[in-house]
Amino acid sequence: MESYTYLLLLAIILLSTKVFGILTERVHLPQVVGALLAGIIMGPSGFGVLESTDFLVKAAEIGVIMLMFTAGIDTDMKELKETGVQASVIAVLGVFVPLLLCGGLYFFFFCGGEPTAYNLLKSAFMGSVFSATSVSITVETLNEMGKLKTRTGTTLLSAALIDDIIGIVVLSVLSAFSSGDSDPVQVLVHIVLFFAFVLVVGLVVRRVFSYIAEDHWHSRRVAVWALAFCLLMAYCAEEWFGVADITGAYFAGLILCNVTKARKFVAKKFTVTSYMVFTPVFFASVGMKTNLRDMNSSILVFALLLVLAAVLSKVVGCGLGGLACRLSQHQSLVVGIGMVARSEVALMVAQRGISAGMIDPSILPAIVLAVICSALLTPVLLKMAISKGPELA
């Protein structure tokens, strides 16, 4: 007899993530935190109401693909051009300092000090989780204080966008190396071919969508074709090139981000579709896998140090980038603190690492704790830094 349990599980996920999301939003935290808490509380760590099924796994994967496409299509290329050089320097250091610091912490704790290729790859994957930035909290804080349109605020936002792009490229490289192919040359060839494929497909698809959008930018068929393109790019990235499917989805969004007329319409439709079903399932599934009952003293110590490393790596990395670009010490500090928050992308990379066998599921609670703490600390530290320093330019 066919089971309809999946309907009950889906209803519980949608209700609980929305309720907890509203609660966290009222204390000025992103709804992502609420969705994670819903998964933790309703999953094995809490009441045990939710359990992972094949349906939920597939729905969560679609959710993460749609999230990455939305991140890509929301990229503002004009903003990147305005502060390109400064933002690029800040972003590069903002990616590689967390990569080294957080990855090094994992290597020290769980790799026994053995610098084998496998251990280094696992450590790099762990570091890449904390490379990407989520600036939604920073934007809200800067806007509240009237500092969003300053030079510092614009530089910070551009650096966060470039930060995500570099982080996705790093993830692509690591995913290719973790696919089981031991030949570095072949892996690099696959990666080069993937980006060549993105370039060629991008030139063609952008022209096609620009032509269609002239008269039909407000038509639902454009959103449907965009979704089909997103899924095809995700499939091709994973199956043809050994690159993460979320990388293909992200670049699909980047390709369409300059189709001016259709961009906002497609982004709006994707947001509604993903946040109605698929995105809550993804965040709840991460929470469900975060089994706090399996935490021991070693993982707890690692979690606390990981929180410290996650915060310091962005403040130091992005702050040094700001100083290198001749920002003042105060501006550099504000930029560094503004880049501390992690959210969706960190969780997506962690999920990818677990699927690839590069990240042990037992340390997922430490990752989730670091993500939540970074979201909590960013607005507090940012307000302190801005209020106690000179006026931002």
Side-chain angles (χ1 to χ4, degrees):
M1 185 176 178
E2 188 176 356
S3 172
Y4 291 94
T5 307
Y6 72 96
L7 296 176
L8 176 62
L9 293 176
L10 188 58
I12 293 171
I13 287 173
L14 295 179
L15 287 170
S16 60
T17 53
K18 180 49 65 178
V19 169
F20 280 92
I22 291 171
L23 292 175
T24 53
E25 191 177 38
R26 289 193 174 183
V27 292
H28 306 291
L29 287 175
Q31 292 196 32
V32 172
V33 175
L36 283 172
L37 291 175
I40 294 171
I41 293 169
M42 304 303 287
S45 291
F47 297 113
V49 176
L50 295 176
E51 57 183 21
S52 183
T53 65
D54 185 60
F55 167 75
L56 292 181
V57 169
K58 294 291 192 299
E61 188 65 22
I62 294 173
V64 75
I65 286 171
M66 295 182 76
L67 269 174
M68 291 306 290
F69 177 86
T70 304
I73 203 170
D74 279 339
T75 301
D76 190 337
M77 290 298 181
K78 289 183 180 178
E79 196 170 85
L80 291 184
K81 291 176 183 177
E82 287 178 8
T83 54
V85 176
Q86 284 186 332
S88 297
V89 173
I90 293 168
V92 167
L93 287 173
V95 167
F96 286 102
V97 173
L99 193 67
L100 292 173
L101 193 55
C102 298
L105 184 66
Y106 178 86
F107 180 80
F108 176 78
F109 262 80
F110 298 104
C111 295
E114 297 180 18
T116 62
Y118 182 67
N119 284 342
L120 291 174
L121 184 59
K122 290 180 72 175
S123 300
F125 230 115
M126 184 66 191
S128 70
V129 171
F130 293 96
S131 294
T133 296
S134 174
V135 291
S136 55
I137 299 170
T138 302
V139 168
E140 188 177 331
T141 306
L142 289 174
N143 196 39
E144 182 183 317
M145 300 183 75
K147 306 296 182 183
L148 186 59
K149 298 301 181 182
T150 60
R151 179 193 173 199
T152 307
T154 305
T155 302
L156 202 162
L157 294 180
S158 298
L161 292 174
I162 298 171
D163 185 294
D164 281 351
I165 295 171
I166 298 172
I168 292 299
V169 172
V170 171
L171 173 64
S172 304
V173 175
L174 295 176
S175 296
F177 275 105
S178 68
S179 62
D181 195 339
S182 58
D183 185 358
V185 176
Q186 192 170 357
V187 168
L188 292 174
V189 167
H190 283 168
I191 293 169
V192 171
L193 287 175
F194 168 72
F195 285 108
F197 172 76
V198 169
L199 180 62
V200 173
V201 170
L203 291 172
V204 175
V205 170
R206 187 175 175 277
R207 285 195 172 191
V208 171
F209 268 84
S210 296
Y211 175 76
I212 294 171
E214 281 297 319
D215 298 316
H216 303 286
W217 64 269
H218 58 289
S219 172
R220 282 177 292 183
R221 76 186 73 163
V222 177
V224 172
W225 289 335
L227 176 57
F229 176 57
C230 164
L231 297 176
L232 281 171
M233 286 293 287
Y235 173 83
C236 293
E238 189 76 55
E239 289 293 322
W240 294 0
F241 303 100
V243 174
D245 50 7
I246 59 176
T247 304
Y250 184 78
F251 280 100
L254 277 182
I255 288 168
L256 298 183
C257 75
N258 281 329
V259 183
T260 310
K261 280 194 173 181
R263 174 187 169 188
K264 289 185 178 179
F265 178 79
V266 171
K268 181 180 178 181
K269 293 297 181 184
F270 260 76
T271 301
V272 172
T273 304
S274 62
Y275 277 89
M276 280 288 288
V277 179
F278 298 107
T279 302
V281 173
F282 166 67
F283 289 120
S285 69
V286 174
M288 287 159 55
K289 292 175 183 175
T290 307
N291 196 338
L292 300 179
R293 295 179 182 178
D294 291 340
M295 285 189 73
N296 52 38
S297 57
S298 176
I299 293 178
L300 182 59
V301 171
F302 173 70
L304 295 174
L305 290 175
L306 187 61
V307 171
L308 185 62
V311 173
L312 287 179
S313 59
K314 282 292 184 183
V315 174
V316 172
C318 297
L320 288 175
L323 290 174
C325 294
R326 298 184 179 178
L327 294 179
S328 69
Q329 290 185 0
H330 179 239
Q331 288 174 321
S332 300
L333 178 62
V334 170
V335 168
I337 293 172
M339 298 282 279
V340 163
R342 274 66 153 212
S343 189
E344 296 95 335
V345 179
L347 296 171
M348 286 184 260
V349 176
Q351 189 74 10
R352 175 67 194 180
I354 291 171
S355 300
M358 291 290 105
I359 295 178
D360 191 330
S362 66
I363 65 169
L364 186 58
I367 295 172
V368 171
L369 179 64
V371 168
I372 292 175
C373 286
S374 70
L376 289 168
L377 289 171
T378 299
V380 176
L381 295 175
L382 196 57
K383 286 180 180 179
M384 287 175 60
I386 292 174
S387 62
K388 292 186 177 181
E391 187 70 19
L392 286 179

